[in-house]
Amino acid sequence: MRYWPAGDLGAGPASGSYPTNGMVVVPASTAAVAGIAIGLSKDLLQRAADVTLKERRPFVIVPREAPYTRATLQHLLALHDSGAVVLPASPGFYSAPTSVQQLVDFVAAKVLDAIGVDHDLITRWTGELGAARRAGEVAT
């Protein structure tokens, strides 16, 4: 892991020639969603997101505020149309989770799946109804 200050527009992720496997913005404020959607590059977050989208690398955005205004929905749709995965932090309740950690793991698993990162945060769907409930784990 490496840290760059928000104002460092000369940082690696600000250039398409810098190798990355993709980008995740979590949580994404409505200001970040709007800025990325309209292609602003006022800081490293927006610039790196723009580069990730233009290079057609995996890009996942997890908006944090709900409900969404019409403007935010339009920005999220624009990001979707640009190739982003819009993934609100909405856990699944169909497997009857028994802890907050299972809800968090569900959302984290969805984000990691969307960007192609292996993990063992959840029990995968096996095709058997109720299997995850009996195991006491969250399945997708």
Side-chain angles (χ1 to χ4, degrees), residues 90-112:
S90 302
F93 291 92
Y94 44 81
S95 61
T98 57
S99 71
V100 172
Q101 188 61 55
Q102 288 177 321
L103 298 173
V104 171
D105 287 351
F106 180 93
V107 173
K110 290 291 190 180
V111 169
L112 293 173

Side-chain angles (χ1 to χ4, degrees), residues 35-54:
I36 294 166
I38 63 174
L40 294 181
S41 290
K42 74 171 190 164
D43 59 22
L44 183 55
L45 174 72
Q46 291 177 355
R47 176 65 188 149
D50 189 54
V51 166
T52 301
L53 290 167
K54 83 174 180 71

Side-chain angles (χ1 to χ4, degrees), residues 124-140:
R124 300 286 179 185
W125 171 250
T126 63
E128 182 184 349
L129 291 176
R133 284 190 188 136
R134 286 190 298 279
E137 298 177 357
V138 177
T140 60

